[in-house]
Amino acid sequence: MSTLARRLVAEALGSALLLAIVVGSGIMGERLAGGNVAIALLANSLATGCGLAVLILVFGPVSAAHFNPAVSLSMGWLGELPWRHVMAYMLAQLAGALLGVALAHGMFGLPAFSASTHLRSGPAQWLSELVATFGLITTILACARQQRSALPYAVAGYITAAYWFTASTAFANPAVTLARAASNTFAGIRLADTPGFIAAQLLGTVLACTLCGWLIPAPARAAATTGRRTG
């Protein structure tokens, strides 16, 4: 199996497990919370954060554990992933995410897919997704360039926090957004609401890449800059 094939399988499998965690913990949390939405969200956020850290540790050495088209696009923009691989990564992530929804539903005795009726729309939701994605991409780029060993825990911690400080509960991921439209559960989002979320996520990605490219240069660029200044 080629190196690219291994990477794509890792991205698909990691995305599937991520969605199984997000959707499955949402279902379990809602069933056990007795109508207390805060408790359900707490369960959902903690499971997602813990699971995400594990998935990054497991699949990071294989594919860099993007599990997110926004991350793959940012890596392509910054020259850390060949553009010819970006689309393949994104398709693998979306396919895996849909598989994860079906797995979560199957574990709880639900149909494989069901159109969500969960309303998530409006300026506050879009701003939340912009902020959530901007923070996620900034966290990834900063850790990758400064403290790579901390990346799994930083990403997991940020997403857990962002569940709570954003009105949208921080999807921050186009593949996750589309897949959750196929789940009429606690984690769902109406298909009609996904374009606004994805547009905000992409804008957040652009802003994060633009800022981080200047604020936290890649090590090689930083060294070159230092050399010019001292030479």
Side-chain angles (χ1 to χ4, degrees):
M1 184 182 290
S2 70
T3 299
L4 178 59
R6 288 192 180 92
R7 291 176 181 174
L8 296 180
V9 170
E11 285 296 300
L13 182 55
S15 298
L17 291 171
L18 175 60
L19 265 294
I21 291 166
V22 171
V23 175
S25 64
I27 296 170
M28 179 68 85
E30 187 174 44
R31 288 184 178 182
L32 296 179
N36 188 322
V37 179
I39 295 298
L41 183 61
L42 179 62
N44 195 200
S45 63
L46 290 177
T48 299
C50 291
L52 188 54
V54 172
L55 293 176
I56 295 172
L57 287 167
V58 171
F59 295 108
V62 182
S63 68
H66 294 182
F67 313 144
N68 185 337
V71 176
S72 298
L73 285 170
S74 67
M75 294 299 114
W77 181 348
L78 297 172
E80 298 179 21
L81 179 69
W83 277 112
R84 66 183 182 277
H85 294 168
V86 171
M87 183 56 69
Y89 262 56
M90 293 168 63
L91 291 174
Q93 291 154 3
L94 179 57
L98 290 169
L99 174 60
V101 169
L103 289 173
H105 286 181
M107 289 189 288
F108 287 92
L110 301 175
F113 300 107
S114 54
S116 177
T117 58
H118 195 156
L119 175 65
R120 298 180 189 264
S121 186
Q125 296 278 316
W126 302 329
L127 177 59
S128 293
E129 281 304 294
L130 188 155
V131 171
T133 309
F134 174 85
L136 174 62
I137 300 300
T138 298
T139 299
I140 290 170
L141 296 180
C143 286
R145 293 177 173 185
Q146 298 178 120
Q147 299 184 55
R148 184 171 291 275
S149 63
L151 195 151
Y153 314 106
V155 169
Y158 176 80
I159 288 297
T160 302
Y163 259 77
W164 288 92
F165 75 76
T166 64
S168 63
T169 66
F171 286 45
N173 183 328
V176 165
T177 301
L178 289 172
R180 287 170 67 167
S183 180
N184 193 26
T185 64
F186 183 80
I189 176 175
R190 293 188 314 170
L191 184 61
D193 297 333
T194 60
F197 266 50
I198 292 172
Q201 291 159 1
L202 294 178
L203 180 56
T205 300
V206 169
L207 293 174
C209 288
T210 301
L211 177 63
C212 287
W214 170 77
L215 186 63
I216 311 169
R221 293 182 204 161
T225 300
T226 302
R228 285 196 299 271
R229 287 179 179 173
T230 59

